[in-house]
Amino acid sequence: MKVLLINHFPLQGSGSGVYVANIAKSLKKRGHETCIITPENTSHFSDLKDIKLHPVFFKFQEKIEGQQSFNFGCIDPHPRSSLLFGNMTDLQLKQYEEAFRKAIEEEILEFKPDVIHAQHIWIISNVALDYNIPVVVTCHGSDIMGYEIWPKFHKIMYKVVDKCKKIIAISNNSKDIINNIFKENKEKVVTILNGYDEKVFYKEDYNKKDILNELKIYKNYDKIVCFAGRLAKNKGVDLLLQAAKNYEKEDVLTLIVGDGEELKNLKEMQEKLKLKNVVFLGNQNHDTLRKIYNISDVCAVPSRKEAFGLVALEAIACGTPVVATNKGELPNFVNNKGGILIEEENILELENAISKILDKEIIFDSKYLAEYAKSNYMQDLFIDKLIEIYKESLQEEYKIEK
């Protein structure tokens, strides 16, 4: 089977990007071919071995032949773009759509996909419906945020849901939200949980001092708290910094991995709170992120909004307990198994939960955590169900044509 994967965001810096990359690798293991169409604004984007990539280039920090005159659109700000779809001009939206239409048509001719798997109930998914190829769409949660913010995109979203073969929800909570909005198409919505790549995130023994030296941190710390993700308001890093004001000690280090529009504000908050042991590391590759998870005592996920919470799952897969808000799918794999759940915006609960893990008042078995993640949430566990959806969509298309 040939599957054309299309996404509104790059493979790095977004949950949907990681999702697409994981699916492509899992499909390859099963003997299927994939091609990924994705926006890019750098010529140094990550390559996936033996998987065809078709970047659509947008303007950012370097000049790339054929790039659009503006950056790629976002529903929620991306580390490499702050241009929101709601702020794009009609001309930009038209050019955006035309650029992806051109890419899709080129791959229909060259790659000849059997099925198109589009990410987000959004603009590019709508374009993909214009061809005689079955379309399956995954809702990632940010598209629902777009629905709530910008009514002008409702018409497109309703068309996508009405015309596609299946809507995939990445959590049961997301499924409920989708069904509540698109009531007439409930039969199309199916839950397939968001799995992690077990070849990238796993428990391994690292020397803490060596890893910190690799990160250019030359002071020794006994305990480490980490955060990984976009530095956006909804990720709640400001709450973590306020909690750090109370749990921070000379031997406790807080590592912030990621980039985004809140970086400047967060660094100003760090200075205002006089936090000495908080280090902003910027974006890191997956190998480095695995090392950070493994040497950390706890991973904080203080999100105000979260569709799934893949970062938390990756940390648990590395044997690291998580303190997370009661959002999205997080309660299903964090509560009493992978860490401690707290209420959103509750800085005291966040600080107390982190402190209890750091002080070993609550102890988690790292080997159990890693095995729990691998047994229940690795990507390969869900790929067969996804392949079945592809096959069902092809059969439906065949019946219609016949």
Side-chain angles (χ1 to χ4, degrees):
M1 189 188 310
K2 289 187 173 185
V3 181
L4 179 60
L5 294 159
I6 59 178
N7 194 15
H8 290 79
F9 304 103
L11 296 181
Q12 290 185 330
S14 68
S16 62
V18 174
Y19 175 90
V20 167
N22 286 347
I23 286 176
K25 287 184 281 188
S26 291
L27 286 172
K28 182 177 178 293
K29 290 181 190 176
R30 297 291 200 278
H32 303 288
E33 294 182 57
T34 57
C35 173
I36 302 173
I37 295 176
T38 179
E40 267 301 345
N41 55 14
T42 173
S43 59
H44 305 290
F45 57 90
S46 61
D47 193 10
L48 290 176
K49 189 176 180 181
D50 300 325
I51 293 172
K52 185 178 182 182
L53 297 181
H54 187 135
V56 178
F57 288 111
F58 290 82
K59 184 179 180 181
F60 188 44
Q61 296 175 343
E62 60 181 298
K63 187 173 182 180
I64 304 172
E65 184 178 353
Q67 68 186 173
Q68 300 299 307
S69 61
F70 53 92
N71 211 340
F72 61 84
C74 300
I75 301 170
D76 195 28
H78 186 277
R80 284 189 274 130
S81 179
S82 58
L83 178 61
L84 301 180
F85 281 109
N87 295 335
M88 292 173 72
T89 66
D90 289 343
L91 178 60
Q92 286 175 331
L93 286 169
K94 182 179 179 182
Q95 291 174 339
Y96 177 92
E97 180 179 318
E98 288 175 349
F100 279 98
R101 184 178 297 280
K102 181 174 181 289
I104 291 170
E105 290 180 353
E106 286 175 357
E107 293 306 337
I108 287 174
L109 290 173
E110 184 176 328
F111 181 65
K112 296 180 173 57
D114 298 300
V115 63
I116 297 175
H117 183 175
Q119 313 310 311
H120 308 95
I121 307 171
W122 207 248
I123 298 171
I124 306 173
S125 303
N126 182 51
V127 173
L129 292 167
D130 290 344
Y131 306 94
N132 193 29
I133 299 171
V135 176
V136 172
V137 180
T138 293
C139 173
H140 288 275
S142 58
D143 36 10
I144 300 302
M145 288 170 56
Y147 179 92
E148 295 170 349
I149 299 169
W150 305 308
K152 70 177 182 179
F153 293 104
H154 285 187
K155 184 177 180 181
I156 287 174
M157 297 181 74
Y158 278 103
K159 179 188 170 185
V160 171
V161 174
D162 188 51
K163 299 296 183 183
C164 73
K165 299 299 178 184
K166 289 287 184 182
I167 296 289
I168 297 171
I170 59 175
S171 71
N172 290 320
N173 180 63
S174 291
K175 181 180 180 181
D176 292 340
I177 294 172
I178 297 165
N179 284 338
N180 187 53
I181 296 174
F182 305 103
K183 295 181 175 66
E184 295 181 0
N185 286 285
K186 286 185 177 181
E187 75 285 351
K188 288 187 178 182
V189 186
V190 59
T191 300
I192 300 181
L193 297 181
N194 195 353
Y196 75 97
D197 188 346
E198 72 279 7
K199 299 294 184 183
V200 176
F201 296 102
Y202 49 84
K203 179 174 171 52
E204 189 163 340
D205 291 328
Y206 293 101
N207 183 287
K208 186 181 296 186
K209 183 178 179 181
D210 290 344
I211 302 305
L212 290 179
N213 286 346
E214 286 181 23
L215 298 171
K216 299 182 179 179
I217 299 172
Y218 302 109
K219 179 182 174 181
N220 291 331
Y221 290 92
D222 183 47
K223 302 168 185 176
I224 298 176
V225 179
C226 74
F227 166 90
R230 286 182 295 110
L231 303 187
K233 191 70 175 175
N234 66 298
K235 293 298 182 179
V237 190
D238 57 312
L239 304 175
L240 178 60
L241 293 184
Q242 292 177 72
K245 178 66 177 176
N246 293 317
Y247 73 68
E248 183 177 271
K249 300 174 184 177
E250 277 299 314
D251 64 341
V252 178
L253 171 67
T254 301
L255 297 175
I256 309 292
V257 181
D259 200 355
E261 76 278 6
E262 285 294 304
L263 177 60
K264 181 181 177 182
N265 293 336
L266 293 170
K267 285 187 172 181
E268 289 176 353
M269 177 178 283
Q270 175 193 11
E271 186 175 341
K272 183 178 180 180
L273 293 172
K274 298 180 181 180
L275 296 170
K276 298 178 181 179
N277 298 334
V278 173
V279 178
F280 290 88
L281 295 172
N283 290 326
Q284 299 291 330
N285 62 43
H286 282 168
D287 285 340
T288 301
L289 187 55
R290 178 183 65 251
K291 295 175 183 178
I292 291 170
Y293 287 145
N294 271 278
I295 66 170
S296 295
D297 297 274
V298 57
C299 176
V301 186
S303 304
R304 292 182 169 93
K305 288 185 178 181
E306 195 67 67
F308 185 82
L310 185 58
V311 163
L313 193 54
E314 292 169 348
I316 294 170
C318 294
T320 303
V322 171
V323 172
T325 47
N326 193 6
K327 290 290 180 182
E329 190 68 15
L330 287 166
N332 291 329
F333 58 82
V334 173
N335 192 23
N336 298 324
K337 295 174 182 176
I340 301 173
L341 283 175
I342 61 170
E343 292 302 315
E344 69 171 289
E345 300 279 359
N346 195 319
I347 298 168
L348 181 60
E349 278 193 21
L350 177 62
E351 183 263 317
N352 285 341
I354 290 173
S355 293
K356 285 179 180 178
I357 295 175
L358 293 179
D359 296 338
K360 301 190 184 316
E361 290 182 35
I362 300 177
I363 298 174
F364 292 88
D365 185 329
S366 61
K367 290 183 179 179
Y368 169 82
L369 293 178
E371 186 55 39
Y372 167 72
K374 188 174 182 179
S375 299
N376 293 279
Y377 289 98
M378 65 179 184
Q379 178 64 51
D380 281 357
L381 293 174
F382 308 115
I383 200 66
D384 288 334
K385 187 174 181 181
L386 182 59
I387 291 170
E388 281 303 310
I389 287 177
Y390 292 160
K391 289 179 179 178
E392 289 173 10
S393 299
L394 283 167
Q395 291 170 356
E396 289 177 16
E397 194 73 11
Y398 176 75
K399 290 176 183 177
I400 292 171
E401 289 178 357
K402 191 173 181 180

